[in-house]
Amino acid sequence: MALSHKLPGMRDDGAMSLAGWESRAVQRLRSWTPGQCAVLFAVAVALFHHVPLLAGAVELHDATDLVTPFVVVAAALATLLSLRAPPLALVVAFVGAILYVDGHGIHLSANAINNYPISGHAAESAHFWDERFGHLWWHLGWFVLVGALALAESERRVTLSRRQAGTIVFLLGATFFTNTVEGGDWWLELAATGVFCIWALAARRALLSAFAAAFALGAALIGVWAIWHGGVPQFSELGWI
C-alpha cells in the first residue's frame, strides 16, 4: 500500500498552493524571536546602507542600491511580526516605510543624475533633491521605523542576549554616524538620540534600550568627528569616499 504524505498547503494533485507557501513563510517568521529579528534588521541596515558605496567601485552603486528598501523594510516587517505588533505600531511603521522608500527613491534618482556633468538650475535641483531633501526624508523614515519597532515591544516582553544587544548597538550606531554625517543631517540623529534616550529611561525595555544606546553611540561618534575636524564635514568633502 502506497503512503501519501501531504505538506501544509499541498493540493490533492501534489502541487503546493501559493497560500500554503505564504502560510509557511509567516509561520517561520513567527518562530524567530524578536531579538533575532531585531539583529536581522540591524544587519540589513548596516549592510545595505554601505554595500552600494563599495559596489560603486565597479559602477554598480545604483543597481545595488535598488535592493536596499526591499531588504530593510522586509526586515522591519519580520521584526514587527515577531513582536505581534499592535495597530498603533503598525500605523507608525507604515508611515515610516513610506518615508523611507520615498526618500530613498528621491535620493537614488537625484544622485544618479548628479553623477553626470550638469550645471545651472539642473545641478542645483539635483543637489537639493539628493543631498538635502532626499537624505532627510530617507533618514526620517528610517528613524520612524526604529520607533515603530520600539512601540511594538510594548505589547511583548523582549529579552536580548548581550551578543544580540551589542550587535544592534554597534551596527545601528555606526550606521547612524556614517549615514547622517555623509547625508548632512547629523542634527536629526542628535535630536532622535534625545527622544529615544528619554523614552528608554521612562520605559526601560530591552529593545528600546538597545535602540537608544545605538543612537547615543552615533551621537558620540558625531561628537568625536566634530571635535577632530572642527565641524561636521561629509566624508566625501574630505576625499575619503
Side-chain angles (χ1 to χ4, degrees):
M1 179 181 294
L3 297 177
S4 175
H5 297 280
K6 291 175 63 179
L7 294 175
M10 182 176 288
R11 300 195 303 264
D12 290 336
D13 59 3
M16 181 69 73
S17 68
L18 178 59
W21 279 111
E22 290 175 342
S23 176
R24 293 181 65 194
V26 171
Q27 288 175 2
R28 286 180 179 178
L29 282 176
R30 287 191 180 279
S31 70
W32 281 43
T33 67
Q36 290 173 319
C37 289
V39 169
L40 174 67
F41 174 74
V43 170
V45 166
L47 185 62
F48 284 90
H49 278 218
H50 292 112
V51 163
L53 179 64
L54 301 177
V58 290
E59 299 183 355
L60 287 176
H61 177 280
D62 295 338
T64 305
D65 210 12
L66 280 172
V67 183
T68 300
F70 292 96
V71 176
V72 172
V73 173
L77 176 59
T79 308
L80 289 168
L81 286 173
S82 71
L83 288 165
R84 297 181 177 85
L88 177 59
L90 292 176
V91 170
V92 173
F94 180 73
V95 173
I98 289 177
L99 293 173
Y100 184 93
V101 173
D102 190 38
H104 180 271
I106 291 170
H107 153 71
L108 179 59
S109 56
N111 183 69
I113 294 170
N114 208 27
N115 285 334
Y116 290 92
I118 55 177
S119 59
H121 291 304
E124 293 175 2
S125 181
H127 179 79
F128 170 78
W129 290 109
D130 175 19
E131 297 293 335
R132 302 301 182 198
F133 187 85
H135 284 153
L136 178 61
W137 212 235
W138 174 22
H139 294 162
L140 179 61
W142 177 19
F143 295 171
V144 171
L145 273 178
V146 175
L149 301 184
L151 271 176
E153 185 189 13
S154 64
E155 293 294 309
R156 181 175 179 182
R157 183 177 179 81
V158 176
T159 57
L160 297 175
S161 68
R162 289 186 178 180
R163 180 176 296 180
Q164 288 175 334
T167 300
I168 292 169
V169 171
F170 174 74
L171 291 180
L172 282 184
T175 309
F176 288 151
F177 163 63
T178 59
N179 281 212
T180 59
V181 166
E182 181 59 27
D185 55 358
W186 51 268
W187 51 269
L188 183 63
E189 202 281 345
L190 299 184
T193 299
V195 171
F196 273 82
C197 286
I198 292 172
W199 187 8
L201 287 173
R204 296 187 180 277
R205 298 195 299 265
L207 189 55
L208 172 59
S209 296
F211 289 152
F215 275 108
L217 174 60
L221 292 173
I222 291 171
V224 171
W225 183 259
I227 293 171
W228 181 12
H229 294 283
V232 190
Q234 297 178 0
F235 301 109
S236 54
E237 292 175 345
L238 300 176
W240 287 29
I241 58 174

